[in-house]
Amino acid sequence: MFIQTESTPNPATLKFLPGQTVLDAGTADFPAAEAAGQSPLAQRLFAVDGVTGVFFGTDFVTVTKADAVEWDHIKPALLGAIMEHFQSGEPVMAGEGQPASGHAEHTGEDGEIVGQIKDLLDTRVRPAVAQDGGDITFHGFDRGVVYLHMQGACAGCPSSTLTLKMGIENLLRHYIPEVTEVRPVAV
């Protein structure tokens, strides 16, 4: 098994490509070790000293490290943990339920606008963000303000504010005049 790695715009996050499916659909975000209970793979990765976050996409795993830890010190252990997991035959996610992923539900009078926002995020934003090892999902819409949840490499990325304001906000405002601003939320 050969696992490729790619850097991300977030220097604290590294993207691992195991060359096989990680999740059949959606994403899974583990912002802390306590959240990893449903995932044997996430538990293995959090067992490596210095890991502070794990995120799964369909064909990648992103790992976020503590600032004081160097990639040179933990990357071999992470590669070993990923390889060991996939060779073990264990599932990436245990039990019935996958972690909630995707957009938040929205009910109310802005349903049509929210539908357009989600469609633009799914077709224009999320594929590009996944290339960088993260995900951005709809969290809410209130009086012209779109609230987005940033996951994986996007969470805590130094360029995330620029991505939100210059990229996503401009895109949404261009296509949906009712959108006036985009803000990140912590879930």
PDB file of all heavy atoms in Angstrom, residues 4 6 8 14-23 26-28 41 54-63 82 86 92 126-127 129-135 151-153:
ATOM      1  N   GLN A   4      -0.007   8.561  -0.433  1.00  0.00           N
ATOM      2  CA  GLN A   4       0.554   9.850  -0.822  1.00  0.00           C
ATOM      3  C   GLN A   4       0.170  10.895   0.216  1.00  0.00           C
ATOM      4  O   GLN A   4      -0.858  10.767   0.887  1.00  0.00           O
ATOM      5  CB  GLN A   4       0.010  10.283  -2.178  1.00  0.00           C
ATOM      6  CG  GLN A   4       0.470   9.424  -3.335  1.00  0.00           C
ATOM      7  CD  GLN A   4      -0.109   9.943  -4.631  1.00  0.00           C
ATOM      8  OE1 GLN A   4      -1.308   9.925  -4.834  1.00  0.00           O
ATOM      9  NE2 GLN A   4       0.769  10.410  -5.503  1.00  0.00           N
ATOM     10  N   GLU A   6      -0.162  15.265   0.740  1.00  0.00           N
ATOM     11  CA  GLU A   6      -0.182  16.577   0.086  1.00  0.00           C
ATOM     12  C   GLU A   6      -0.262  17.637   1.169  1.00  0.00           C
ATOM     13  O   GLU A   6      -0.998  17.474   2.152  1.00  0.00           O
ATOM     14  CB  GLU A   6      -1.411  16.719  -0.818  1.00  0.00           C
ATOM     15  CG  GLU A   6      -1.405  15.852  -2.054  1.00  0.00           C
ATOM     16  CD  GLU A   6      -2.662  16.057  -2.906  1.00  0.00           C
ATOM     17  OE1 GLU A   6      -3.540  16.873  -2.536  1.00  0.00           O
ATOM     18  OE2 GLU A   6      -2.770  15.363  -3.926  1.00  0.00           O
ATOM     19  N   THR A   8      -1.486  21.301   2.578  1.00  0.00           N
ATOM     20  CA  THR A   8      -2.727  22.058   2.427  1.00  0.00           C
ATOM     21  C   THR A   8      -2.395  23.527   2.686  1.00  0.00           C
ATOM     22  O   THR A   8      -1.312  23.835   3.188  1.00  0.00           O
ATOM     23  CB  THR A   8      -3.795  21.578   3.432  1.00  0.00           C
ATOM     24  OG1 THR A   8      -3.410  21.990   4.750  1.00  0.00           O
ATOM     25  CG2 THR A   8      -3.983  20.065   3.387  1.00  0.00           C
ATOM     26  N   LEU A  14      -2.194  18.218   7.217  1.00  0.00           N
ATOM     27  CA  LEU A  14      -1.611  17.463   6.109  1.00  0.00           C
ATOM     28  C   LEU A  14      -2.673  16.513   5.568  1.00  0.00           C
ATOM     29  O   LEU A  14      -3.450  15.934   6.338  1.00  0.00           O
ATOM     30  CB  LEU A  14      -0.396  16.683   6.608  1.00  0.00           C
ATOM     31  CG  LEU A  14       0.578  16.120   5.577  1.00  0.00           C
ATOM     32  CD1 LEU A  14       1.166  17.220   4.709  1.00  0.00           C
ATOM     33  CD2 LEU A  14       1.707  15.374   6.287  1.00  0.00           C
ATOM     34  N   LYS A  15      -2.709  16.366   4.252  1.00  0.00           N
ATOM     35  CA  LYS A  15      -3.688  15.508   3.585  1.00  0.00           C
ATOM     36  C   LYS A  15      -3.025  14.190   3.203  1.00  0.00           C
ATOM     37  O   LYS A  15      -1.972  14.178   2.576  1.00  0.00           O
ATOM     38  CB  LYS A  15      -4.219  16.235   2.344  1.00  0.00           C
ATOM     39  CG  LYS A  15      -5.299  15.502   1.578  1.00  0.00           C
ATOM     40  CD  LYS A  15      -5.780  16.386   0.416  1.00  0.00           C
ATOM     41  CE  LYS A  15      -6.756  15.688  -0.475  1.00  0.00           C
ATOM     42  NZ  LYS A  15      -7.186  16.545  -1.596  1.00  0.00           N
ATOM     43  N   PHE A  16      -3.660  13.077   3.581  1.00  0.00           N
ATOM     44  CA  PHE A  16      -3.159  11.736   3.273  1.00  0.00           C
ATOM     45  C   PHE A  16      -4.112  11.080   2.274  1.00  0.00           C
ATOM     46  O   PHE A  16      -5.322  11.055   2.497  1.00  0.00           O
ATOM     47  CB  PHE A  16      -3.081  10.878   4.543  1.00  0.00           C
ATOM     48  CG  PHE A  16      -2.082  11.382   5.537  1.00  0.00           C
ATOM     49  CD1 PHE A  16      -2.413  12.380   6.439  1.00  0.00           C
ATOM     50  CD2 PHE A  16      -0.799  10.853   5.580  1.00  0.00           C
ATOM     51  CE1 PHE A  16      -1.486  12.850   7.358  1.00  0.00           C
ATOM     52  CE2 PHE A  16       0.134  11.315   6.503  1.00  0.00           C
ATOM     53  CZ  PHE A  16      -0.207  12.310   7.388  1.00  0.00           C
ATOM     54  N   LEU A  17      -3.558  10.533   1.183  1.00  0.00           N
ATOM     55  CA  LEU A  17      -4.345   9.860   0.147  1.00  0.00           C
ATOM     56  C   LEU A  17      -3.967   8.382   0.135  1.00  0.00           C
ATOM     57  O   LEU A  17      -2.931   8.007  -0.420  1.00  0.00           O
ATOM     58  CB  LEU A  17      -4.061  10.496  -1.217  1.00  0.00           C
ATOM     59  CG  LEU A  17      -4.430  11.980  -1.302  1.00  0.00           C
ATOM     60  CD1 LEU A  17      -3.504  12.727  -2.228  1.00  0.00           C
ATOM     61  CD2 LEU A  17      -5.865  12.105  -1.736  1.00  0.00           C
ATOM     62  N   PRO A  18      -4.818   7.514   0.739  1.00  0.00           N
ATOM     63  CA  PRO A  18      -4.463   6.091   0.829  1.00  0.00           C
ATOM     64  C   PRO A  18      -4.646   5.308  -0.459  1.00  0.00           C
ATOM     65  O   PRO A  18      -4.296   4.131  -0.521  1.00  0.00           O
ATOM     66  CB  PRO A  18      -5.392   5.572   1.925  1.00  0.00           C
ATOM     67  CG  PRO A  18      -6.557   6.485   1.908  1.00  0.00           C
ATOM     68  CD  PRO A  18      -6.029   7.836   1.480  1.00  0.00           C
ATOM     69  N   GLY A  19      -5.196   5.928  -1.518  1.00  0.00           N
ATOM     70  CA  GLY A  19      -5.370   5.224  -2.777  1.00  0.00           C
ATOM     71  C   GLY A  19      -6.583   4.312  -2.795  1.00  0.00           C
ATOM     72  O   GLY A  19      -6.700   3.447  -3.654  1.00  0.00           O
ATOM     73  N   GLN A  20      -7.466   4.477  -1.833  1.00  0.00           N
ATOM     74  CA  GLN A  20      -8.711   3.728  -1.804  1.00  0.00           C
ATOM     75  C   GLN A  20      -9.771   4.551  -1.099  1.00  0.00           C
ATOM     76  O   GLN A  20      -9.480   5.594  -0.515  1.00  0.00           O
ATOM     77  CB  GLN A  20      -8.524   2.370  -1.144  1.00  0.00           C
ATOM     78  CG  GLN A  20      -8.025   2.414   0.286  1.00  0.00           C
ATOM     79  CD  GLN A  20      -7.623   1.025   0.747  1.00  0.00           C
ATOM     80  OE1 GLN A  20      -6.573   0.525   0.364  1.00  0.00           O
ATOM     81  NE2 GLN A  20      -8.447   0.409   1.563  1.00  0.00           N
ATOM     82  N   THR A  21     -11.008   4.082  -1.167  1.00  0.00           N
ATOM     83  CA  THR A  21     -12.123   4.815  -0.577  1.00  0.00           C
ATOM     84  C   THR A  21     -11.982   4.887   0.940  1.00  0.00           C
ATOM     85  O   THR A  21     -11.718   3.880   1.590  1.00  0.00           O
ATOM     86  CB  THR A  21     -13.459   4.127  -0.940  1.00  0.00           C
ATOM     87  OG1 THR A  21     -13.575   4.099  -2.363  1.00  0.00           O
ATOM     88  CG2 THR A  21     -14.644   4.865  -0.349  1.00  0.00           C
ATOM     89  N   VAL A  22     -12.153   6.084   1.469  1.00  0.00           N
ATOM     90  CA  VAL A  22     -12.160   6.285   2.915  1.00  0.00           C
ATOM     91  C   VAL A  22     -13.617   6.267   3.397  1.00  0.00           C
ATOM     92  O   VAL A  22     -13.975   5.501   4.267  1.00  0.00           O
ATOM     93  CB  VAL A  22     -11.445   7.598   3.306  1.00  0.00           C
ATOM     94  CG1 VAL A  22     -11.535   7.848   4.804  1.00  0.00           C
ATOM     95  CG2 VAL A  22      -9.987   7.558   2.858  1.00  0.00           C
ATOM     96  N   LEU A  23     -14.455   7.107   2.816  1.00  0.00           N
ATOM     97  CA  LEU A  23     -15.892   7.120   3.102  1.00  0.00           C
ATOM     98  C   LEU A  23     -16.653   6.969   1.792  1.00  0.00           C
ATOM     99  O   LEU A  23     -16.300   7.605   0.802  1.00  0.00           O
ATOM    100  CB  LEU A  23     -16.323   8.433   3.756  1.00  0.00           C
ATOM    101  CG  LEU A  23     -15.885   8.708   5.185  1.00  0.00           C
ATOM    102  CD1 LEU A  23     -16.408  10.079   5.633  1.00  0.00           C
ATOM    103  CD2 LEU A  23     -16.375   7.640   6.127  1.00  0.00           C
ATOM    104  N   GLY A  26     -20.185  11.533   1.704  1.00  0.00           N
ATOM    105  CA  GLY A  26     -20.111  12.558   2.735  1.00  0.00           C
ATOM    106  C   GLY A  26     -18.731  12.728   3.325  1.00  0.00           C
ATOM    107  O   GLY A  26     -17.719  12.327   2.739  1.00  0.00           O
ATOM    108  N   THR A  27     -18.714  13.342   4.500  1.00  0.00           N
ATOM    109  CA  THR A  27     -17.472  13.601   5.216  1.00  0.00           C
ATOM    110  C   THR A  27     -17.682  13.276   6.685  1.00  0.00           C
ATOM    111  O   THR A  27     -18.808  13.103   7.137  1.00  0.00           O
ATOM    112  CB  THR A  27     -17.051  15.085   5.094  1.00  0.00           C
ATOM    113  OG1 THR A  27     -18.065  15.912   5.670  1.00  0.00           O
ATOM    114  CG2 THR A  27     -16.808  15.485   3.651  1.00  0.00           C
ATOM    115  N   ALA A  28     -16.599  13.182   7.427  1.00  0.00           N
ATOM    116  CA  ALA A  28     -16.664  12.977   8.874  1.00  0.00           C
ATOM    117  C   ALA A  28     -15.590  13.850   9.510  1.00  0.00           C
ATOM    118  O   ALA A  28     -14.429  13.800   9.110  1.00  0.00           O
ATOM    119  CB  ALA A  28     -16.443  11.501   9.221  1.00  0.00           C
ATOM    120  N   LEU A  41     -10.374   4.199  12.742  1.00  0.00           N
ATOM    121  CA  LEU A  41      -9.254   4.895  12.095  1.00  0.00           C
ATOM    122  C   LEU A  41      -8.943   6.205  12.811  1.00  0.00           C
ATOM    123  O   LEU A  41      -7.778   6.502  13.098  1.00  0.00           O
ATOM    124  CB  LEU A  41      -9.548   5.146  10.611  1.00  0.00           C
ATOM    125  CG  LEU A  41      -8.496   5.955   9.839  1.00  0.00           C
ATOM    126  CD1 LEU A  41      -7.102   5.341   9.955  1.00  0.00           C
ATOM    127  CD2 LEU A  41      -8.907   6.109   8.380  1.00  0.00           C
ATOM    128  N   VAL A  54      -8.937  15.273  13.093  1.00  0.00           N
ATOM    129  CA  VAL A  54      -8.955  14.307  11.996  1.00  0.00           C
ATOM    130  C   VAL A  54     -10.209  14.576  11.174  1.00  0.00           C
ATOM    131  O   VAL A  54     -11.278  14.854  11.730  1.00  0.00           O
ATOM    132  CB  VAL A  54      -8.967  12.855  12.526  1.00  0.00           C
ATOM    133  CG1 VAL A  54      -9.131  11.855  11.393  1.00  0.00           C
ATOM    134  CG2 VAL A  54      -7.700  12.555  13.315  1.00  0.00           C
ATOM    135  N   PHE A  55     -10.083  14.487   9.856  1.00  0.00           N
ATOM    136  CA  PHE A  55     -11.204  14.726   8.949  1.00  0.00           C
ATOM    137  C   PHE A  55     -11.128  13.714   7.815  1.00  0.00           C
ATOM    138  O   PHE A  55     -10.051  13.477   7.268  1.00  0.00           O
ATOM    139  CB  PHE A  55     -11.122  16.153   8.390  1.00  0.00           C
ATOM    140  CG  PHE A  55     -12.233  16.508   7.453  1.00  0.00           C
ATOM    141  CD1 PHE A  55     -13.480  16.886   7.941  1.00  0.00           C
ATOM    142  CD2 PHE A  55     -12.048  16.463   6.081  1.00  0.00           C
ATOM    143  CE1 PHE A  55     -14.508  17.217   7.076  1.00  0.00           C
ATOM    144  CE2 PHE A  55     -13.067  16.794   5.215  1.00  0.00           C
ATOM    145  CZ  PHE A  55     -14.306  17.172   5.711  1.00  0.00           C
ATOM    146  N   PHE A  56     -12.271  13.105   7.461  1.00  0.00           N
ATOM    147  CA  PHE A  56     -12.324  12.141   6.359  1.00  0.00           C
ATOM    148  C   PHE A  56     -13.160  12.692   5.216  1.00  0.00           C
ATOM    149  O   PHE A  56     -14.251  13.212   5.431  1.00  0.00           O
ATOM    150  CB  PHE A  56     -12.986  10.820   6.793  1.00  0.00           C
ATOM    151  CG  PHE A  56     -12.324  10.107   7.924  1.00  0.00           C
ATOM    152  CD1 PHE A  56     -13.078   9.368   8.812  1.00  0.00           C
ATOM    153  CD2 PHE A  56     -10.947  10.140   8.102  1.00  0.00           C
ATOM    154  CE1 PHE A  56     -12.490   8.677   9.864  1.00  0.00           C
ATOM    155  CE2 PHE A  56     -10.345   9.463   9.152  1.00  0.00           C
ATOM    156  CZ  PHE A  56     -11.123   8.730  10.030  1.00  0.00           C
ATOM    157  N   GLY A  57     -12.654  12.511   3.992  1.00  0.00           N
ATOM    158  CA  GLY A  57     -13.417  12.749   2.776  1.00  0.00           C
ATOM    159  C   GLY A  57     -13.622  11.411   2.094  1.00  0.00           C
ATOM    160  O   GLY A  57     -13.324  10.359   2.664  1.00  0.00           O
ATOM    161  N   THR A  58     -14.093  11.420   0.871  1.00  0.00           N
ATOM    162  CA  THR A  58     -14.342  10.153   0.185  1.00  0.00           C
ATOM    163  C   THR A  58     -13.056   9.385  -0.109  1.00  0.00           C
ATOM    164  O   THR A  58     -13.043   8.164  -0.036  1.00  0.00           O
ATOM    165  CB  THR A  58     -15.115  10.362  -1.133  1.00  0.00           C
ATOM    166  OG1 THR A  58     -14.424  11.321  -1.921  1.00  0.00           O
ATOM    167  CG2 THR A  58     -16.534  10.834  -0.864  1.00  0.00           C
ATOM    168  N   ASP A  59     -11.979  10.107  -0.411  1.00  0.00           N
ATOM    169  CA  ASP A  59     -10.730   9.411  -0.752  1.00  0.00           C
ATOM    170  C   ASP A  59      -9.508   9.975  -0.040  1.00  0.00           C
ATOM    171  O   ASP A  59      -8.378   9.762  -0.467  1.00  0.00           O
ATOM    172  CB  ASP A  59     -10.509   9.437  -2.267  1.00  0.00           C
ATOM    173  CG  ASP A  59     -10.291  10.849  -2.810  1.00  0.00           C
ATOM    174  OD1 ASP A  59     -10.535  11.828  -2.078  1.00  0.00           O
ATOM    175  OD2 ASP A  59      -9.884  10.963  -3.976  1.00  0.00           O
ATOM    176  N   PHE A  60      -9.731  10.705   1.045  1.00  0.00           N
ATOM    177  CA  PHE A  60      -8.597  11.289   1.764  1.00  0.00           C
ATOM    178  C   PHE A  60      -8.860  11.383   3.256  1.00  0.00           C
ATOM    179  O   PHE A  60      -9.995  11.319   3.717  1.00  0.00           O
ATOM    180  CB  PHE A  60      -8.242  12.676   1.208  1.00  0.00           C
ATOM    181  CG  PHE A  60      -9.294  13.733   1.445  1.00  0.00           C
ATOM    182  CD1 PHE A  60      -9.283  14.490   2.612  1.00  0.00           C
ATOM    183  CD2 PHE A  60     -10.277  13.986   0.503  1.00  0.00           C
ATOM    184  CE1 PHE A  60     -10.248  15.462   2.836  1.00  0.00           C
ATOM    185  CE2 PHE A  60     -11.253  14.953   0.725  1.00  0.00           C
ATOM    186  CZ  PHE A  60     -11.232  15.692   1.897  1.00  0.00           C
ATOM    187  N   VAL A  61      -7.759  11.531   3.986  1.00  0.00           N
ATOM    188  CA  VAL A  61      -7.774  11.761   5.431  1.00  0.00           C
ATOM    189  C   VAL A  61      -6.924  13.005   5.660  1.00  0.00           C
ATOM    190  O   VAL A  61      -5.804  13.089   5.157  1.00  0.00           O
ATOM    191  CB  VAL A  61      -7.137  10.571   6.188  1.00  0.00           C
ATOM    192  CG1 VAL A  61      -7.013  10.875   7.673  1.00  0.00           C
ATOM    193  CG2 VAL A  61      -7.910   9.284   5.942  1.00  0.00           C
ATOM    194  N   THR A  62      -7.443  13.979   6.385  1.00  0.00           N
ATOM    195  CA  THR A  62      -6.590  15.103   6.778  1.00  0.00           C
ATOM    196  C   THR A  62      -6.384  15.037   8.280  1.00  0.00           C
ATOM    197  O   THR A  62      -7.288  14.696   9.039  1.00  0.00           O
ATOM    198  CB  THR A  62      -7.166  16.484   6.393  1.00  0.00           C
ATOM    199  OG1 THR A  62      -8.491  16.599   6.865  1.00  0.00           O
ATOM    200  CG2 THR A  62      -7.153  16.699   4.908  1.00  0.00           C
ATOM    201  N   VAL A  63      -5.164  15.347   8.669  1.00  0.00           N
ATOM    202  CA  VAL A  63      -4.785  15.326  10.079  1.00  0.00           C
ATOM    203  C   VAL A  63      -4.244  16.700  10.442  1.00  0.00           C
ATOM    204  O   VAL A  63      -3.423  17.266   9.724  1.00  0.00           O
ATOM    205  CB  VAL A  63      -3.718  14.237  10.348  1.00  0.00           C
ATOM    206  CG1 VAL A  63      -3.260  14.270  11.796  1.00  0.00           C
ATOM    207  CG2 VAL A  63      -4.260  12.856   9.993  1.00  0.00           C
ATOM    208  N   ILE A  82      -2.366   4.717   9.370  1.00  0.00           N
ATOM    209  CA  ILE A  82      -3.299   4.607   8.239  1.00  0.00           C
ATOM    210  C   ILE A  82      -3.109   3.273   7.527  1.00  0.00           C
ATOM    211  O   ILE A  82      -4.076   2.557   7.236  1.00  0.00           O
ATOM    212  CB  ILE A  82      -3.128   5.796   7.269  1.00  0.00           C
ATOM    213  CG1 ILE A  82      -3.560   7.101   7.960  1.00  0.00           C
ATOM    214  CG2 ILE A  82      -3.936   5.567   5.988  1.00  0.00           C
ATOM    215  CD1 ILE A  82      -3.198   8.363   7.208  1.00  0.00           C
ATOM    216  N   PHE A  86      -5.982   0.151   7.244  1.00  0.00           N
ATOM    217  CA  PHE A  86      -6.548  -0.380   6.004  1.00  0.00           C
ATOM    218  C   PHE A  86      -6.174  -1.839   5.785  1.00  0.00           C
ATOM    219  O   PHE A  86      -6.925  -2.597   5.194  1.00  0.00           O
ATOM    220  CB  PHE A  86      -6.173   0.496   4.806  1.00  0.00           C
ATOM    221  CG  PHE A  86      -7.019   1.740   4.714  1.00  0.00           C
ATOM    222  CD1 PHE A  86      -6.510   2.976   5.074  1.00  0.00           C
ATOM    223  CD2 PHE A  86      -8.333   1.671   4.297  1.00  0.00           C
ATOM    224  CE1 PHE A  86      -7.294   4.109   5.009  1.00  0.00           C
ATOM    225  CE2 PHE A  86      -9.144   2.796   4.226  1.00  0.00           C
ATOM    226  CZ  PHE A  86      -8.617   4.028   4.587  1.00  0.00           C
ATOM    227  N   VAL A  92     -13.790   2.008   8.539  1.00  0.00           N
ATOM    228  CA  VAL A  92     -13.380   3.359   8.902  1.00  0.00           C
ATOM    229  C   VAL A  92     -14.335   3.906   9.953  1.00  0.00           C
ATOM    230  O   VAL A  92     -13.928   4.551  10.922  1.00  0.00           O
ATOM    231  CB  VAL A  92     -13.337   4.270   7.652  1.00  0.00           C
ATOM    232  CG1 VAL A  92     -13.138   5.731   8.043  1.00  0.00           C
ATOM    233  CG2 VAL A  92     -12.232   3.820   6.711  1.00  0.00           C
ATOM    234  N   ARG A 126     -17.497  23.359  -2.487  1.00  0.00           N
ATOM    235  CA  ARG A 126     -17.059  22.146  -1.791  1.00  0.00           C
ATOM    236  C   ARG A 126     -16.062  21.301  -2.593  1.00  0.00           C
ATOM    237  O   ARG A 126     -15.107  20.789  -2.015  1.00  0.00           O
ATOM    238  CB  ARG A 126     -18.270  21.323  -1.361  1.00  0.00           C
ATOM    239  CG  ARG A 126     -19.082  22.048  -0.285  1.00  0.00           C
ATOM    240  CD  ARG A 126     -20.303  21.296   0.123  1.00  0.00           C
ATOM    241  NE  ARG A 126     -19.948  20.300   1.123  1.00  0.00           N
ATOM    242  CZ  ARG A 126     -20.785  19.380   1.552  1.00  0.00           C
ATOM    243  NH1 ARG A 126     -22.012  19.304   1.077  1.00  0.00           N
ATOM    244  NH2 ARG A 126     -20.403  18.517   2.475  1.00  0.00           N
ATOM    245  N   PRO A 127     -16.232  21.138  -3.914  1.00  0.00           N
ATOM    246  CA  PRO A 127     -15.217  20.357  -4.647  1.00  0.00           C
ATOM    247  C   PRO A 127     -13.821  20.986  -4.574  1.00  0.00           C
ATOM    248  O   PRO A 127     -12.826  20.284  -4.418  1.00  0.00           O
ATOM    249  CB  PRO A 127     -15.745  20.340  -6.085  1.00  0.00           C
ATOM    250  CG  PRO A 127     -17.225  20.550  -5.952  1.00  0.00           C
ATOM    251  CD  PRO A 127     -17.375  21.473  -4.779  1.00  0.00           C
ATOM    252  N   VAL A 129     -12.668  23.009  -2.172  1.00  0.00           N
ATOM    253  CA  VAL A 129     -12.191  22.943  -0.798  1.00  0.00           C
ATOM    254  C   VAL A 129     -11.731  21.518  -0.454  1.00  0.00           C
ATOM    255  O   VAL A 129     -10.763  21.327   0.278  1.00  0.00           O
ATOM    256  CB  VAL A 129     -13.285  23.454   0.161  1.00  0.00           C
ATOM    257  CG1 VAL A 129     -12.924  23.214   1.602  1.00  0.00           C
ATOM    258  CG2 VAL A 129     -13.521  24.939  -0.069  1.00  0.00           C
ATOM    259  N   ALA A 130     -12.415  20.513  -1.002  1.00  0.00           N
ATOM    260  CA  ALA A 130     -12.015  19.120  -0.772  1.00  0.00           C
ATOM    261  C   ALA A 130     -10.616  18.856  -1.324  1.00  0.00           C
ATOM    262  O   ALA A 130      -9.859  18.062  -0.755  1.00  0.00           O
ATOM    263  CB  ALA A 130     -13.027  18.158  -1.400  1.00  0.00           C
ATOM    264  N   GLN A 131     -10.257  19.540  -2.401  1.00  0.00           N
ATOM    265  CA  GLN A 131      -8.917  19.382  -2.957  1.00  0.00           C
ATOM    266  C   GLN A 131      -7.845  19.814  -1.956  1.00  0.00           C
ATOM    267  O   GLN A 131      -6.737  19.311  -1.980  1.00  0.00           O
ATOM    268  CB  GLN A 131      -8.769  20.211  -4.234  1.00  0.00           C
ATOM    269  CG  GLN A 131      -9.704  19.798  -5.325  1.00  0.00           C
ATOM    270  CD  GLN A 131      -8.968  19.285  -6.522  1.00  0.00           C
ATOM    271  OE1 GLN A 131      -7.961  19.832  -6.919  1.00  0.00           O
ATOM    272  NE2 GLN A 131      -9.472  18.212  -7.085  1.00  0.00           N
ATOM    273  N   ASP A 132      -8.219  20.740  -1.075  1.00  0.00           N
ATOM    274  CA  ASP A 132      -7.296  21.221  -0.046  1.00  0.00           C
ATOM    275  C   ASP A 132      -7.442  20.457   1.264  1.00  0.00           C
ATOM    276  O   ASP A 132      -6.853  20.833   2.272  1.00  0.00           O
ATOM    277  CB  ASP A 132      -7.512  22.717   0.213  1.00  0.00           C
ATOM    278  CG  ASP A 132      -6.976  23.581  -0.911  1.00  0.00           C
ATOM    279  OD1 ASP A 132      -6.091  23.112  -1.655  1.00  0.00           O
ATOM    280  OD2 ASP A 132      -7.438  24.725  -1.052  1.00  0.00           O
ATOM    281  N   GLY A 133      -8.264  19.390   1.272  1.00  0.00           N
ATOM    282  CA  GLY A 133      -8.382  18.556   2.458  1.00  0.00           C
ATOM    283  C   GLY A 133      -9.396  19.015   3.481  1.00  0.00           C
ATOM    284  O   GLY A 133      -9.278  18.694   4.659  1.00  0.00           O
ATOM    285  N   GLY A 134     -10.408  19.754   3.046  1.00  0.00           N
ATOM    286  CA  GLY A 134     -11.410  20.235   3.993  1.00  0.00           C
ATOM    287  C   GLY A 134     -12.802  20.220   3.419  1.00  0.00           C
ATOM    288  O   GLY A 134     -13.060  19.649   2.362  1.00  0.00           O
ATOM    289  N   ASP A 135     -13.705  20.875   4.120  1.00  0.00           N
ATOM    290  CA  ASP A 135     -15.087  20.977   3.674  1.00  0.00           C
ATOM    291  C   ASP A 135     -15.692  22.229   4.290  1.00  0.00           C
ATOM    292  O   ASP A 135     -15.264  22.684   5.364  1.00  0.00           O
ATOM    293  CB  ASP A 135     -15.890  19.745   4.106  1.00  0.00           C
ATOM    294  CG  ASP A 135     -17.203  19.595   3.334  1.00  0.00           C
ATOM    295  OD1 ASP A 135     -17.413  20.322   2.340  1.00  0.00           O
ATOM    296  OD2 ASP A 135     -18.022  18.740   3.735  1.00  0.00           O
ATOM    297  N   GLN A 151     -14.491  22.776   8.086  1.00  0.00           N
ATOM    298  CA  GLN A 151     -14.020  21.522   8.657  1.00  0.00           C
ATOM    299  C   GLN A 151     -12.701  21.106   8.018  1.00  0.00           C
ATOM    300  O   GLN A 151     -12.346  21.557   6.935  1.00  0.00           O
ATOM    301  CB  GLN A 151     -15.050  20.419   8.410  1.00  0.00           C
ATOM    302  CG  GLN A 151     -16.413  20.701   9.000  1.00  0.00           C
ATOM    303  CD  GLN A 151     -17.436  19.681   8.559  1.00  0.00           C
ATOM    304  OE1 GLN A 151     -17.534  19.356   7.385  1.00  0.00           O
ATOM    305  NE2 GLN A 151     -18.202  19.165   9.498  1.00  0.00           N
ATOM    306  N   GLY A 152     -12.020  20.172   8.677  1.00  0.00           N
ATOM    307  CA  GLY A 152     -10.776  19.634   8.141  1.00  0.00           C
ATOM    308  C   GLY A 152      -9.711  20.708   8.034  1.00  0.00           C
ATOM    309  O   GLY A 152      -9.512  21.497   8.952  1.00  0.00           O
ATOM    310  N   ALA A 153      -9.042  20.754   6.889  1.00  0.00           N
ATOM    311  CA  ALA A 153      -7.960  21.709   6.691  1.00  0.00           C
ATOM    312  C   ALA A 153      -8.447  23.153   6.746  1.00  0.00           C
ATOM    313  O   ALA A 153      -7.670  24.065   7.014  1.00  0.00           O
ATOM    314  CB  ALA A 153      -7.256  21.453   5.359  1.00  0.00           C
TER     315      ALA A 153
END
